């Protein structure tokens, strides 16, 4: 039996696991008995295989046939607690067991892992050397990284450090997400993290980056290490460097121009065909298609089913888009080059419903998100077509998926401008061409300026003035928000220290992102900036958004950093209050001392009664939590007077002052 041969081949690996285990057939007959089970129970494999052990008599077995049947039908492990087992020597002790349904070469088995009360004593006698040998073998064979439950690195062995070019001092405390290219974090890396947090092992090939930003590839196995009550203690990542293999594969694909799994064109061939079309001045549509929630489908099915799914989907693409060029550009991403109309392309969704894909006689519900980019009307290069398509598909998926759409001309122009902004921003950060403006806040009880918000401004020689609502989202997507954040933090500390030395102390607030706080060195970075300019910590305020707050409430490492900075005297402000997710839980968890009512509520304050009630409710909420309330976007005296009447603590907006240079602020 092929499955049994696979089992025998893997038994050496399983025998290194320091827990007694056995594998059984559907009728509960033992097929394999681990070395640790021999040591624990005293019976050899020859004495056990073929029997129903360790239960003496089948008719009075603690784990009966019904339990076995339940184990086969359940996707989740079954845990049995507190039953008696007897060793060959007659010793009786309490035990527990975990039953896992496993599939080997399409045959189903039950893997039983025992936990016994006196196992610790046995381990102390027999397993210490084995565990040490196992650890040595793993360290010499794999790159090993350990993560805490927040995803922060707590250990990296020599092989990991060598490949990633990190030093222990620099990598400890870094976020798991920082080991991957920015474009990977939103999809694949989040899938890995979700699997670990769900107490599941994840395996696959992953692209990573070194400390210097160089790409390398690994085969990764990510393992959750659980406590006795199934709570994660930490996560272990085992990796083998496959960079050379991956490069060879990519090189061969470049030569062959064929995706080996589906037989379609690969990305390299697609790029060449698109270049040829452009050179020939042919008009065509670039159709980018992405299978929605593909990773969820992968979790439900095995590798063989995944291959079948991709092959069957490819066949339907060929049947529907006949005489068109079709390529596979990602695991679940495809591109069609066609001169057919948009309505015909959108008809592919109906075609899929009429021709469903069956796996093991079961129809698989597939949803597709797609983007249509036209040449030359929309974009003029392959890379810009790809970027526009990804933006379109992402927009469709945010709206629920299952649609194929095209962006408007205005959207395409915005994308082209975005690409130019990214390119110019790199140069601006390198040459420190950004400037800082300050918008005053008035304390309504004193009528005086008591704080300012530091705002980044960029006047580029080519682009002209780039407004913040364009600059900040692009910086966040490209990862350059870290550089802007560092620049703004230093400038704010420098200016606050200068005002303080001149006898006119003034609080300055800076905006921060969740990505900055995922770096465990954020506290250190803030403290260094304060020390560098001798800036008192109580003069610095850090503004976060509701989206930041919602994500931070589930990441203990971020909460810890915020609490550390609050203890230093730094004030945290919740910005744009009322526009984000409706959750007050983070108000309990995060050290928020001030909140800013978003200007969208202030703009209609004098026209309608409802905004007044909303704003009044927000102010009362803040006061009930001992939180200072600031209203932003105040543009008229009437708004200011009403806010003062409603009990607002401070205001900010054009009526008070536009953002100005530090020298223009009249500090009283």
């Amino acid at each position: 039996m092929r499955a049994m041969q696979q089992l025998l081949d893997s038994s050496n690996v399983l025998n290194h696991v320091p827990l007694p285990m056995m594998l059984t057939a559907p009728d509960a007959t033992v097929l394999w008995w681990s070395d640790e089970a021999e040591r624990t129970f005293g019976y050899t494999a020859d004495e056990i295989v073929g029997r129903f052990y360790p239960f003496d008599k089948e008719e009075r077995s603690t784990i009966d046939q019904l339990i076995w049947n339940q184990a086969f039908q359940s996707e989740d492990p079954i845990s049995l607690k507190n039953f008696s087992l007897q060793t060959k020597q007659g010793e009786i002790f309490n035990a527990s067991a975990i039953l896992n349904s496993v599939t080997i070469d399409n045959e189903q088995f039950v893997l039983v892992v025992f936990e016994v009360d006196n196992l610790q004593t046995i381990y102390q006698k027999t397993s210490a050397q084995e565990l040490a040998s196992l650890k040595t073998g793993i360290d010499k064979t794999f790159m090993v990284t350990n993560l805490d439950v927040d995803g922060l690195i707590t250990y990296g062995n020599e092989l990991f450090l060598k490949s990633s070019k990190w030093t222990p001092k620099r990598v400890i405390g870094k976020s798991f997400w920082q080991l991957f290219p920015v474009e990977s974090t939103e999809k694949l890396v989040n899938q890995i993290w979700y699997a670990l947090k769900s107490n599941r092992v994840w395996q696959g090939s992953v692209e990573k980056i070194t400390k210097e930003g160089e790409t390398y590839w690994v085969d990764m196995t990510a393992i959750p290490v659980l406590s006795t009550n199934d709570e994660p203690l930490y996560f272990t990542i085992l990796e083998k460097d496959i960079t050379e293999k991956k490069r060879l594969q990519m090189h061969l694909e470049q030569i062959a121009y064929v995706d080996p799994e589906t037989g379609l064109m690969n990305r390299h061939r697609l790029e060449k065909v698109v270049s040829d079309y452009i050179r020939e001045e042919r008009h065509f549509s670039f159709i980018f298609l992405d299978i929605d929630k593909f990773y969820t489908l992968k979790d439900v099915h095995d590798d063989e089913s995944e291959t079948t799914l991709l092959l069957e989907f490819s066949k339907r693409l060929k049947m529907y888009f006949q005489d068109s060029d079709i390529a596979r550009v990602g695991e679940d991403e495809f591109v069609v080059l066609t001169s057919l109309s948009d309505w015909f392309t959108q008809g592919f969704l109906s075609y899929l419903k009429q021709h469903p894909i069956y796996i093991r006689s079961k129809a698989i519900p597939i949803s597709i998100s797609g983007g249509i980019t036209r040449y030359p009307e929309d974009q003029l290069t392959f890379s810009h077509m790809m970027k526009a398509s990804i933006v379109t598909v992402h927009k469709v998926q945010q709206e629920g998926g299952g649609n194929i759409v095209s962006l408007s001309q205005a959207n395409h122009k915005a994308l082209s401008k975005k690409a130019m902004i990214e390119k110019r921003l790199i140069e601006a950060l390198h040459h420190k061409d950004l400037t800082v403006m300050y918008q005053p806040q008035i304390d309504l009880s004193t009528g005086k300026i008591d704080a300012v918000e530091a705002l980044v401004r960029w006047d580029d020689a080519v682009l002209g003035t780039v407004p913040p609502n364009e600059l900040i989202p692009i910086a966040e997507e490209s990862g350059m928000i870290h550089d802007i954040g560092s620049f703004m933090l230093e400038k704010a500390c420098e200016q606050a220290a200068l005002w303080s030395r001149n006898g006119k102390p003034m609080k300055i607030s800076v905006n921060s992102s969740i990505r900055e706080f995922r770096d465990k060195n954020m506290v250190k970075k803030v403290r260094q900036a304060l020390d560098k300019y001798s800036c008192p910590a109580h003069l610095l305020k850090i503004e976060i958004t509701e989206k930041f707050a919602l994500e931070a409430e589930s990441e203990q490492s971020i909460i810890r950093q915020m609490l550390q900075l609050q203890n230093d005297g730094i004030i945290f402000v919740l910005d744009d209050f009322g526009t984000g997710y409706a959750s007050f839980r983070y108000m309990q968890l995060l050290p928020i001392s001030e909140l800013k009512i978003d200007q969208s509520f202030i703009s209609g304050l004098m026209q309608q009664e409802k905004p007044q009630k909303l704003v009044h409710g927000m102010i009362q909420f803040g006061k009930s939590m001992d939180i200072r309330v600031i209203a932003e976007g105040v543009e008229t005296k009437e708004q200011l007077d009403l806010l003062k009447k409603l009990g607002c603590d401070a205001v900010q907006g054009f009526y008070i002052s536009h953002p100005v240079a530090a020298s223009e602020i009249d500090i009283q």
Side-chain angles (χ1 to χ4, degrees), residues 174-221:
K174 291 291 183 185
S175 166
F176 177 58
W177 285 263
Q178 291 178 261
L179 303 180
F180 301 86
V182 173
E183 58 271 17
S184 299
T185 58
E186 193 168 329
K187 196 171 187 180
L188 178 58
V189 184
N190 286 341
Q191 289 290 336
I192 299 171
W193 186 245
Y194 175 77
L196 289 173
K197 296 293 277 188
S198 303
N199 294 351
R200 291 186 288 112
V201 174
W202 188 93
Q203 290 180 294
S205 298
V206 186
E207 180 185 5
K208 300 183 70 179
I209 54 172
T210 66
K211 181 176 179 289
E212 285 78 23
E214 299 167 347
T215 297
Y216 68 105
W217 290 83
V218 298
D219 269 340
M220 174 189 290
T221 301

Side-chain angles (χ1 to χ4, degrees), residues 452-523:
V452 294
E453 180 180 358
L455 300 167
V456 65
R457 292 294 182 264
W458 181 27
D459 291 314
D460 183 70
V462 175
L463 299 168
T465 300
V466 180
N469 61 348
E470 283 188 67
L471 172 62
I472 300 304
I474 292 172
E476 287 180 338
E477 287 178 24
S478 63
M480 287 184 277
I481 194 67
H482 289 284
D483 300 305
I484 292 178
S486 297
F487 171 80
M488 294 297 291
L489 176 64
E490 291 229 348
K491 288 293 185 182
C493 290
E494 182 181 17
Q495 185 59 53
L498 178 61
W499 279 332
S500 181
R501 284 195 299 271
N502 291 338
K504 296 181 178 180
M506 175 73 63
K507 292 183 176 66
I508 300 182
S509 64
V510 294
N511 293 277
S512 190
S513 71
I514 190 76
R515 292 182 65 176
E516 290 179 276
F517 268 84
R518 281 201 171 115
D519 184 343
K520 197 174 182 178
N521 292 316
M522 184 62 178
V523 169

Side-chain angles (χ1 to χ4, degrees), residues 163-181:
S163 291
S164 65
K165 299 182 180 178
W166 284 97
T167 61
K169 182 179 179 181
R170 296 294 183 187
V171 79
I172 300 301
K174 291 291 183 185
S175 166
F176 177 58
W177 285 263
Q178 291 178 261
L179 303 180
F180 301 86

